[in-house]
Amino acid sequence: MPKQYQSLIEHYQNLPVAIYISDRYDRLRAYNTAAEELLGIAPREGRKNWYPACRIYDKSGKAVNRYYQPVSAALKSNGKRHVQELLFVLEDGSKRNILVSSMALLNESLNYNGAVHTLTDVTLQRTYEGQHALLAAII
């Protein structure tokens, strides 16, 4: 792991939220323990696709390219935050609703240099929302 990413991820190692850092080419450079635990997949540093066994879908149910990276062209060009909820179908068939939030890392010249990403499991919340909607419909 390059030193610049190692020193940055050390601050997040013990957080219960999955965090990883990608470089300007969308390659995984660093991650915390929670990132590995969230999907049950050992991240592969230096690869664009560190979760190859997952199928990923957007909120409309459309399959997302298996090499999807949460860093969009817009994030790279304007340095703003990017948030998207995705459905991850794991190798064992289980499903996880994951809220992916990304923030650009800019160098001294304010050019895009990579991103910090958080992955928040909102599966339980979506399940409760669905149950609440069903009960409301019955009443």
Side-chain angles (χ1 to χ4, degrees):
M1 171 184 330
K3 192 173 186 173
Q4 67 187 34
Y5 300 110
Q6 184 177 3
S7 63
L8 191 55
I9 201 67
E10 284 175 1
H11 299 288
Y12 307 116
Q13 242 356 297
N14 296 317
L15 288 177
V17 175
I19 298 174
Y20 73 96
I21 299 171
S22 60
D23 65 16
R24 73 173 132 233
Y25 305 108
D26 294 332
R27 294 180 303 224
L28 176 69
R29 290 299 176 193
Y31 57 91
N32 69 353
T33 305
E36 184 173 357
E37 294 169 353
L38 177 67
L39 300 176
I41 298 168
R44 293 190 225 165
E45 191 177 315
R47 305 258 331 250
K48 281 190 175 193
N49 184 14
W50 62 279
Y51 39 80
C54 294
R55 294 185 315 254
I56 305 169
Y57 302 91
D58 65 17
K59 282 192 85 158
S60 70
K62 179 181 174 190
V64 176
N65 181 319
R66 73 176 240 179
Y67 293 106
Y68 167 81
Q69 294 296 309
V71 182
S72 66
L75 179 65
K76 289 180 182 179
S77 66
N78 66 23
K80 292 186 179 177
R81 195 175 86 148
H82 177 74
V83 179
Q84 182 175 16
E85 186 173 329
L86 299 169
L87 175 68
F88 282 68
V89 179
L90 306 182
E91 191 172 30
D92 66 2
S94 62
K95 298 176 182 177
R96 299 258 176 97
N97 294 84
I98 307 291
L99 184 65
V100 181
S101 301
S102 303
M103 181 65 79
L105 292 173
L106 305 176
N107 64 18
E108 301 81 28
S109 304
L110 300 180
N111 294 318
Y112 181 79
N113 204 33
V116 175
H117 313 276
T118 62
L119 305 174
T120 306
D121 189 344
V122 294
T123 306
L124 192 56
Q125 180 180 342
R126 296 298 174 253
T127 300
Y128 288 148
E129 288 170 356
Q131 292 172 348
H132 179 72
L134 177 62
L135 290 173
I138 293 170
I139 295 173

